[in-house]
Amino acid sequence: MVDKKLEERNIPGMMNRNARFAEVEHAENVGATMKRIMSYFAKEKGMVVSMLAIVVFGTLCGVYAPSLQSRAIDIIAGKSGGNLLAALAFMLAVYLLYSAGQLLQGLLSAKLSQRIIRRMREELFGKIIDLPIRYLDTHSHGDVMSRMTNDIENISTTVSQSLPSLFSGVLTIIGTVAIMLWYCWQLALLSCATVILTLIATKVLSKKVRKYSRKRQQLIGQLNGTVEEMVSGYRTVVAYNHQDETTREFCETSDSLTKAGIRTDVISGVMGPIMNCIGNIGFVIIAAFGGYFAITGLISVGVISAFIVYAKQFSKPINELAQVYGQLQTAVAGAERVFLVLDETSEDMTGNALQTEEQAAVRFENVNFSYEPGHPIIRNFSLTVPSGKKVALVGSTGSGKTTVVNLLMRFYDIDSGTIRINGQDLSEMSRDSLRKNVAIVLQDTVLFADTIRNNLRYANESASDAQLEEAVRMSRCEDMLKNLPGGFDARLTSGGENISQGQRQLLAIARAFVADPKILILDEATSNVDTRTEKAIQNAMQTIMRSRTSIVIAHRLSTIRDSDLIVVMDKGQIVESGSHRELLAQKGKYYELYMTQYAGFAT
């Protein structure tokens, strides 16, 4: 009952503190992907060098500052000579420089991240726009969108946060260990013992948290799926009295989610106290052995205080690096997914321009086509659509009617045969030139979140207000516009969801009229309007079709009775053709279709 895709979505409500334990993706070719990512950094050399310089400078200040604290304490204890105020002032200056370095590091990394991501995002969107229809038909739209959003965002987060943490963490560990060994190698080795405990605790706890976190994420997906199904199908749920069963399913999933959530939060909540406990054990070790070494004269009291700071400074980047490693893997995997799209072959827009003549004749010659090799959809299809004539394609579902239109629009290229417009081979014609002369109205209407005026001008940006008004009048949209606040300036929501499906189809027809095409394709263009409006639109279409080559696909045979030629298709082939009366007289496939719809009515 729950959509499996919903279970795989990233859930925004997941606790941030559990992010470090989330399952990470792995790239198949890390080396090649990293090399390609570096090419984006190479275009920002100045900023990268500046950021790295600031990271190095800030890390050095952070590593050097505790030694100044040690010296100040030794001056206070009388173990070292010098001016206390000068030492404190110098220490304050170093800490301020360290803070300034951290601030600049954050600003530069954020700026660098956004520059790189902007370039990558623009390249990806440009590629998606140029992809052939076949790619988008054979790939999940949600997956394509995920690459634009989730994968790009993972890369952005890694560049802005993880990379600076990686560089500064590595430098901090190296610098801290070096100074600790220089001060007292014996105490340094004792301090590093707590690191082993930290790594063991992190590995054990993260494994358990990852297990329950994964289960919780799956359950949240199920819960969201149940809610989405209930809301979108509310009328069906109520109509069949399934409220109690739906509530029971929701409660079962909710209870399981609560248990998984409690386990995840409890185990992840224990993480902080355990790490603090291990850190405190480290401080006790330093204090105990440091005191002993101080008594024996091996080190000073100031060195003990510095070791306490260094021990904390040493353990923090180790935990961060473990988290950064997972983020880097996820980012590289996301980048690989983005690059896979970028490496796809764009739709070929080259070719000759369609010769601009007053009318356009279309001819299909022995056309064969299959979406998948070995499974032909169109077989030996030959058809002539005379200039200025109206040809209708009818047939049962799956007979290949819409595929013929897809081939004419060059959404797909044919396997063999030829399609010509005014004698020009379609395969040698540029898609841009072709589509400027063809307008199509689909059964599934697509409108954009914009004004009605701009949606109509989508087909012809230079269309005047007079042209828009004429198109609206011909498509019978006048009454609809009068009832909408703002008329032409009324704003549609995404997909035109704030108007009915029939109204959306009327606007799509008006948009096709605005395009003023040489060839007009109507694919079930009036399937969502009432019979009276459909008749009015048909009458209007007679005017616009007089000077245009028209191809009409319809299941309602009443809409194509007046066609100059009716072509009956079955299994990708033409089985009958002729006028309405001729086909009825033959009492073949068309007759069967017609009688199925109008049995008992006079013809």
Side-chain angles (χ1 to χ4, degrees):
M1 187 169 182
V2 178
D3 190 345
K4 293 296 290 182
K5 291 182 180 179
L6 290 172
E7 299 177 13
E8 299 169 0
R9 292 178 184 169
N10 291 329
I11 309 301
M14 293 294 289
M15 299 288 285
N16 289 332
R17 63 178 175 178
N18 296 326
R20 73 181 69 180
F21 304 115
E23 290 291 300
V24 298
E25 296 181 79
H26 297 272
E28 293 183 4
N29 193 337
V30 177
T33 304
M34 286 297 296
K35 183 177 179 180
R36 195 161 175 180
I37 292 174
M38 288 300 107
S39 67
Y40 287 88
F41 284 91
K43 297 174 182 177
E44 302 290 345
K45 288 181 181 178
M47 190 169 293
V48 171
V49 171
S50 299
M51 188 187 73
L52 291 178
I54 290 173
V55 168
V56 172
F57 176 76
T59 302
L60 290 176
C61 289
V63 173
Y64 182 51
S67 65
L68 296 176
Q69 176 182 314
S70 171
R71 184 167 180 270
I73 292 175
D74 285 340
I75 292 174
I76 294 173
K79 296 291 185 179
S80 176
N83 189 321
L84 179 60
L85 290 177
L88 292 175
F90 188 39
M91 182 175 67
L92 176 61
V94 171
Y95 273 119
L96 289 175
L97 288 173
Y98 171 72
S99 299
Q102 293 289 100
L103 177 62
L104 287 175
Q105 174 184 316
L107 292 174
L108 281 177
S109 61
K111 193 172 183 179
L112 175 64
S113 166
Q114 292 309 310
R115 282 193 179 184
I116 290 175
I117 295 307
R118 181 189 64 183
R119 183 176 290 110
M120 192 176 290
R121 186 186 293 119
E122 289 174 352
E123 288 182 8
L124 180 59
F125 187 79
K127 170 59 73 171
I128 292 174
I129 289 295
D130 291 336
L131 285 173
I133 298 294
R134 181 185 293 273
Y135 180 90
L136 294 174
D137 281 349
T138 55
H139 289 75
S140 165
H141 292 183
D143 179 66
V144 175
M145 292 172 63
S146 177
R147 299 181 193 222
M148 173 62 74
T149 54
N150 292 348
D151 292 335
I152 290 288
E153 188 59 33
N154 285 336
I155 299 169
S156 175
T157 301
T158 301
V159 173
S160 63
Q161 298 177 12
S162 301
L163 288 183
S165 297
L166 176 64
F167 293 134
S168 62
V170 171
L171 290 175
T172 298
I173 291 173
I174 294 173
T176 300
V177 171
I179 291 183
M180 290 171 72
L181 291 173
W182 181 67
Y183 272 130
C184 180
W185 64 268
Q186 297 94 334
L187 195 57
L189 293 178
L190 290 169
S191 300
C192 290
T194 58
V195 174
I196 299 174
L197 292 176
T198 301
L199 294 175
I200 293 173
T202 301
K203 183 177 181 180
V204 173
L205 292 175
S206 62
K207 184 177 180 181
K208 290 185 176 294
V209 172
R210 192 176 293 117
K211 172 185 175 182
Y212 292 116
S213 177
R214 184 169 58 246
K215 184 177 181 180
R216 184 170 76 167
Q217 186 171 356
Q218 178 184 3
L219 289 170
I220 289 177
Q222 291 181 9
L223 199 69
N224 286 354
T226 302
V227 173
E228 184 173 343
E229 282 187 340
M230 190 278 293
V231 172
S232 60
Y234 181 70
R235 284 185 173 84
T236 304
V237 172
V238 173
Y240 288 95
N241 285 321
H242 269 253
Q243 297 96 318
D244 292 340
E245 184 176 346
T246 302
T247 303
R248 179 182 57 77
E249 290 180 3
F250 178 87
C251 290
E252 288 178 357
T253 306
S254 180
D255 290 344
S256 299
L257 175 61
T258 300
K259 293 176 182 177
I262 290 173
R263 289 173 179 172
T264 305
D265 291 341
V266 167
I267 297 174
S268 60
V270 169
M271 194 74 173
I274 288 179
M275 292 303 165
N276 289 334
C277 181
I278 294 174
N280 292 332
I281 292 173
F283 296 152
V284 171
I285 292 174
I286 292 171
F289 286 92
Y292 172 75
F293 293 151
I295 292 173
T296 59
L298 185 62
I299 58 174
S300 65
V301 176
V303 171
I304 297 175
S305 69
F307 258 87
I308 292 175
V309 177
Y310 282 130
K312 184 177 181 181
Q313 195 168 269
F314 179 66
S315 60
K316 181 181 177 182
I318 290 178
N319 292 330
E320 289 180 348
L321 289 177
Q323 182 179 349
V324 166
Y325 177 71
Q327 291 176 345
L328 281 173
Q329 283 186 312
T330 301
V332 172
E336 186 177 56
R337 283 163 47 83
V338 170
F339 295 149
L340 286 175
V341 178
L342 291 177
D343 291 337
E344 287 290 333
T345 303
S346 298
E347 190 172 41
D348 184 8
M349 303 301 287
T350 60
N352 302 321
L354 175 63
Q355 296 175 2
T356 54
E357 298 181 6
E358 189 65 27
Q359 295 179 330
V362 179
R363 181 174 178 81
F364 295 82
E365 301 174 353
N366 302 318
V367 173
N368 292 279
F369 172 77
S370 57
Y371 290 105
E372 297 180 7
H375 300 278
I377 301 298
I378 301 297
R379 300 176 176 86
N380 197 31
F381 184 87
S382 296
L383 172 67
T384 298
V385 183
S387 177
K389 298 298 182 180
K390 175 183 177 182
V391 173
L393 302 179
V394 301
S396 58
T397 300
S399 59
K401 305 184 297 297
T402 300
T403 299
V404 171
V405 171
N406 288 338
L407 298 178
L408 179 58
M409 292 292 293
R410 284 201 72 186
F411 291 155
Y412 291 86
D413 285 326
I414 60 178
D415 296 337
S416 63
T418 311
I419 303 176
R420 300 181 186 275
I421 298 179
N422 290 339
Q424 285 184 260
D425 191 339
L426 208 67
S427 63
E428 300 175 357
M429 192 183 305
S430 75
R431 287 177 167 86
D432 182 64
S433 176
L434 168 67
R435 293 166 188 171
K436 283 182 178 178
N437 290 278
V438 181
I440 184 168
V441 181
L442 300 172
Q443 180 177 5
D444 297 326
T445 304
V446 176
L447 297 174
F448 301 96
D450 205 336
T451 62
I452 290 178
R453 186 187 308 278
N454 290 337
N455 269 282
L456 295 179
R457 280 183 173 156
Y458 197 81
N460 182 3
E461 295 181 356
S462 61
S464 65
D465 289 343
Q467 287 176 290
L468 298 184
E469 291 171 0
E470 177 66 12
V472 165
R473 184 187 65 77
M474 294 179 66
S475 61
R476 299 301 188 267
C477 292
E478 292 173 303
D479 292 338
M480 178 187 72
L481 286 180
K482 289 178 182 177
N483 294 327
L484 289 175
F488 277 102
D489 294 317
R491 192 168 188 86
L492 302 179
T493 58
S494 179
E497 294 295 332
N498 55 334
I499 59 176
S500 71
Q501 193 168 358
Q503 289 174 321
R504 294 199 293 271
Q505 205 157 47
L506 290 177
L507 287 177
I509 294 171
R511 181 171 58 191
F513 289 168
V514 172
D516 194 23
K518 288 182 172 57
I519 300 174
L520 180 64
I521 300 173
L522 303 173
D523 188 352
E524 292 291 337
T526 58
S527 60
N528 292 314
V529 299
D530 61 88
T531 306
R532 183 177 179 181
T533 303
E534 180 185 50
K535 184 63 178 175
I537 292 175
Q538 286 178 7
N539 294 335
M541 284 182 176
Q542 297 308 313
T543 303
I544 194 173
M545 287 181 178
R546 284 173 191 165
S547 58
R548 288 174 175 80
T549 305
S550 303
I551 298 177
V552 181
I553 297 175
H555 285 111
R556 277 194 266 180
L557 302 184
S558 61
T559 62
I560 47 91
R561 292 178 59 172
D562 62 339
S563 298
D564 298 297
L565 178 67
I566 298 174
V567 175
V568 184
M569 296 185 62
D570 186 42
K571 297 180 180 179
Q573 296 177 309
I574 297 176
V575 294
E576 291 178 349
S577 63
S579 67
H580 172 69
R581 291 187 177 277
E582 290 172 347
L583 291 174
L584 286 181
Q586 293 178 20
K587 292 192 175 182
K589 191 74 174 179
Y590 182 81
Y591 178 82
E592 293 177 5
L593 291 171
Y594 190 85
M595 294 306 295
T596 301
Q597 291 187 22
Y598 301 102
F601 293 92
T603 60

